[in-house]
Amino acid sequence: MSNQMKGAYILMESLLKENVDTIFGYPGGSIMPTFDALYDYMDKFNYVLTRHEQGATHAAQGYARVSGKTGVCLVTSGPGATNAITGIADAMMDSTPLVVIAGQAGAAFLGTDAFQEVDLIGCTLPITKWSYQIRSAADIAPAVAKAFHIANSGRKGPVVLDFAKNAQVEMAEFNYEKCHFTRGYIPFTAIKPTQIDAAAEIINNAKKPLALVGQGVILGNAEAELKAFLEKADIPAGSTLLGLSALPSDHRLNKGMLGMHGNVGPNIKTNEADVIIAIGMRFDDRVTGDLKTYAKQAKIVHLDIDNAELDKNVKATAKVLGDVKASLPELTLKIKEAKHTQWIESFHEYEVKEDEKVIRPEVYATEGPLKMGEVVRKISEATNNDAVLVTDVGQNQIMAARYFKFTKSRSVVTSGGLGTMGFGIPAAIGAKIGAPKRTVCMFAGDGGFQMTIQELGTIMEKQIGVKMIILNNNYLGMVRQWQELFFKKRYSSTPMMNPHFNTIADAYGIKNKEVNTREELDAAIKEMFADDKPYLLIANCEEMGMVYPMVPAGETVTNILLG
């Protein structure tokens, strides 16, 4: 019996074969045949109509980050496709698996500057793992299979399928085979015992070891393996921004966040450790500061799935190439049980100093305007530190990362490498859909919130129960902070006149509250968590607040400012 069907239907059936349950998107002319086919599959997919294509990509990112699945977007050609580019680049920087399917002019019109034609392959090749143009219906199923294989294997990332309109309406035979191999693409490398042995020898001789934990641990589902490794060798750990929830916040070996606005202890100790074990992290400049002075006294052991990251920024003494889910247990078998009590206790003086000079004034204030940190702390505690944290970018992001606490993995959704303002609202939508039983708290500044404010319409339509908190200081806060410290307080284009956010929330039918005092805040938090419906809390915070600690850009990590 013939299994012929239109290309658009082949796409739908192919997505089902890949166990796709959610699609984020926005329709348009060149993708219309596919949306017409989607009409017949509404009982099989949860289709989420975002209000902008950038919103679709960020929502797919949030979904992917909390669920571990591949996020899927469906958009049209031209401006629809180019609107998606920010999210694609963001996913590439943060290793988030996405498959973005974009409409395109028919194959016969390619290169003629047809209506809404853009060279999407040319635009996205540098910011994807793979970009491919589907020109015939027979190409659809193999392309989809390959796309999902590439997106969610090895070092994960985004894939773009440029879907010519003629391919959507042509007939072809539907035969689907999952892709497990593609020539020239090697997602996993066999772990070499010699690399494990070399790494183990260095760790076994360490007197002051320090582990740097990145998102690779979470992407590799290696949280239990990380814990076993750290506990056996009694190694303290610092986390990158995206690696924060790999280890529970209250674990005795968790010494906090690394980097520009990280905790004092792990930053100072980076330049005291004799061995640094980097696990699924890439030595980003926000973590290392000045590379000329970074950890020059330490032997570096680097575990990573991507060979391109090894020796890229920091030269490793021992390199372990492979999936940390496999390499960490092998390394744990080879290391000796150890105790580094005195070394671990040496972090304490820095914890006390940071608590006294930074943390207590920020999160336990009793007078004056609301502090961003105290708002974050109170909301985290109201969730028993069990929620998913989603952030926008800026002071809100760093305050949330510093003062929100975590008990479960896959609990931090933020734009790390690209630093995309506007990420917060749509990413929170995706996170709540990806983890519907978890509480999702999204923190944004007044600037970033307005960049994708239209996605309140998506929340309204789907009644997505995200808890949104604007840490409102009427400034582009992080830029203002740099202007204050490094540009002689010349506040160019950072003060903001904002709308009445409550009125906007009312227009979208979203319950909301604006607070100015601590008493109002406590009552509003209680009201916000009274049910699982969407809620917007506007917390008016001190306008000139600063995020400390801070390592000035390009300086040594030990030159950390406390205020």
Side-chain angles (χ1 to χ4, degrees):
M1 189 173 77
S2 174
N3 201 23
Q4 286 237 330
M5 58 180 71
K6 281 185 178 180
Y9 286 83
I10 291 175
L11 175 64
M12 295 296 117
E13 292 293 333
S14 298
L15 294 177
L16 289 176
K17 292 289 186 183
E18 291 293 340
N19 299 313
V20 172
D21 54 28
T22 303
I23 300 171
F24 302 92
Y26 203 95
S30 291
I31 199 67
M32 205 173 296
T34 297
F35 272 87
D36 185 62
L38 179 61
Y39 188 85
D40 293 327
Y41 287 79
M42 288 299 190
D43 59 335
K44 295 182 172 65
F45 297 115
N46 175 24
Y47 172 70
V48 182
L49 173 65
T50 58
R51 296 320 192 244
H52 190 281
E53 292 87 356
Q54 182 181 344
T57 53
H58 293 330
Q61 286 177 272
Y63 171 89
R65 293 266 282 273
V66 300
S67 70
K69 299 176 182 178
T70 301
V72 178
C73 299
L74 189 61
V75 300
T76 196
S77 63
T82 56
N83 282 346
I85 283 177
T86 297
I88 294 167
D90 195 293
M92 188 68 175
M93 289 285 276
D94 288 349
S95 302
T96 305
L98 293 189
V99 172
V100 178
I101 304 157
Q104 182 56 281
F109 297 97
L110 293 173
T112 68
D113 291 333
F115 179 66
Q116 292 191 335
E117 180 193 0
V118 71
D119 180 7
L120 188 59
I121 302 300
C123 289
T124 59
L125 271 175
I127 54 168
T128 55
K129 288 185 73 177
W130 184 55
S131 290
Y132 180 75
Q133 189 170 75
I134 299 172
R135 296 189 179 193
S136 70
D139 291 341
I140 298 168
V144 171
K146 188 174 177 181
F148 277 85
H149 171 58
I150 292 174
N152 207 12
S153 62
R155 182 176 179 173
K156 304 174 194 299
V159 167
V160 164
L161 295 178
D162 194 31
F163 198 9
K165 192 170 185 179
N166 63 288
Q168 300 172 47
V169 298
E170 290 171 359
M171 301 293 290
E173 201 78 17
F174 176 63
N175 293 297
Y176 198 83
E177 292 183 20
K178 283 213 172 194
C179 179
H180 301 288
F181 170 80
T182 185
R183 191 173 66 182
Y185 172 65
I186 304 172
F188 299 104
T189 302
I191 296 161
K192 294 179 180 178
T194 54
Q195 293 184 342
I196 296 291
D197 291 342
E201 183 180 0
I202 292 170
I203 295 167
N204 286 335
N205 288 311
K207 299 291 187 285
K208 298 178 178 180
L210 176 63
L212 311 183
V213 178
Q215 190 192 196
V217 172
I218 297 169
L219 293 172
N221 299 307
E223 296 89 347
E225 290 79 3
L226 170 71
K227 195 175 175 185
F229 168 77
L230 297 175
E231 290 176 350
K232 182 176 181 180
D234 201 32
I235 298 173
S239 294
T240 66
L241 174 63
L242 296 186
L244 274 174
S245 66
L247 201 62
S249 299
D250 62 357
H251 192 283
R252 70 176 186 86
L253 294 172
N254 189 342
K255 297 304 174 184
M257 187 168 71
L258 298 158
M260 179 175 279
H261 294 287
N263 295 102
V264 176
N267 276 319
I268 295 286
K269 293 299 180 180
T270 295
N271 278 5
E272 292 181 19
D274 61 351
V275 173
I276 286 177
I277 308 106
I279 308 168
M281 59 86 70
R282 58 188 179 87
F283 289 109
D284 173 74
D285 63 286
R286 283 296 194 263
V287 166
T288 65
D290 183 9
L291 284 170
K292 294 186 182 72
T293 58
Y294 181 78
K296 292 304 177 184
Q297 79 295 337
K299 292 182 177 178
I300 308 292
V301 176
H302 194 173
L303 289 74
D304 207 283
I305 200 169
D306 187 354
N307 192 45
E309 293 298 340
L310 301 176
D311 288 340
K312 186 176 85 174
N313 294 326
V314 174
K315 180 79 173 173
T317 316
K319 296 170 279 193
V320 180
L321 178 62
D323 187 347
V324 292
K325 181 79 172 175
S327 62
L328 268 177
E330 290 194 28
L331 187 56
T332 304
L333 284 173
K334 293 291 181 80
I335 60 174
K336 299 172 183 175
E337 287 192 28
K339 284 292 177 188
H340 296 104
T341 305
Q342 190 173 351
W343 167 239
I344 292 170
E345 287 177 351
S346 72
F347 282 76
H348 183 65
E349 66 172 296
Y350 297 106
E351 291 166 352
V352 169
K353 188 176 182 181
E354 184 177 350
D355 186 67
E356 177 188 331
K357 292 188 174 296
V358 178
I359 297 173
R360 292 207 158 269
E362 180 66 37
V363 303
Y364 295 107
T366 56
E367 56 185 32
L370 285 173
K371 301 270 194 174
M372 289 188 182
E374 73 174 303
V375 177
V376 173
R377 175 188 65 85
K378 286 186 173 186
I379 290 171
S380 182
E381 289 176 352
T383 71
N384 297 315
N385 302 325
D386 197 40
V388 174
L389 168 68
V390 181
T391 82
D392 209 88
V393 166
Q395 287 183 320
N396 65 89
Q397 175 186 35
I398 303 304
M399 286 296 193
R402 284 182 53 80
Y403 300 118
F404 212 83
K405 302 303 175 188
F406 311 102
T407 57
K408 292 189 180 83
S409 186
R410 295 192 178 274
S411 293
V412 180
V413 180
T414 190
S415 175
L418 200 63
T420 305
M421 289 181 68
F423 180 86
I425 303 175
I429 291 169
K432 184 64 177 176
I433 292 170
K437 293 183 180 178
R438 297 192 66 186
T439 300
V440 173
C441 297
M442 190 285 296
F443 291 85
D446 41 303
F449 190 82
Q450 293 178 78
M451 284 196 168
T452 49
I453 197 169
Q454 69 274 5
E455 298 306 333
L456 294 177
T458 308
I459 292 170
M460 171 186 68
E461 182 170 324
K462 287 285 189 178
Q463 280 300 294
I464 299 165
V466 295
K467 309 303 182 181
M468 298 170 284
I469 304 95
I470 300 177
L471 300 176
N472 181 29
N473 59 7
N474 298 304
Y475 273 93
L476 297 176
M478 189 61 86
V479 183
R480 182 204 56 77
Q481 176 164 333
W482 281 53
Q483 289 171 335
E484 183 160 329
L485 293 174
F486 311 120
F487 291 88
K488 301 179 181 178
K489 299 185 179 181
R490 290 159 60 88
Y491 301 127
S492 174
S493 297
T494 48
M496 293 196 76
M497 179 180 288
N498 290 316
H500 191 237
F501 292 113
N502 304 85
T503 303
I504 294 171
D506 286 340
Y508 285 104
I510 295 170
K511 198 170 183 180
N512 59 86
K513 186 81 75 180
E514 183 176 17
V515 300
N516 294 284
T517 68
R518 289 171 180 87
E519 295 73 25
E520 291 174 319
L521 176 63
D522 293 337
I525 290 173
K526 185 175 181 181
E527 179 180 282
M528 180 166 66
F529 291 121
D531 56 41
D532 197 35
K533 293 180 180 177
Y535 194 100
L536 175 63
L537 172 61
I538 302 100
N540 294 323
C541 300
E542 63 173 333
E543 290 196 345
M544 307 301 279
M546 304 284 276
V547 183
Y548 288 114
M550 181 180 184
V551 179
E555 291 200 17
T556 303
V557 289
T558 51
N559 293 345
I560 190 164
L561 306 176
L562 296 184

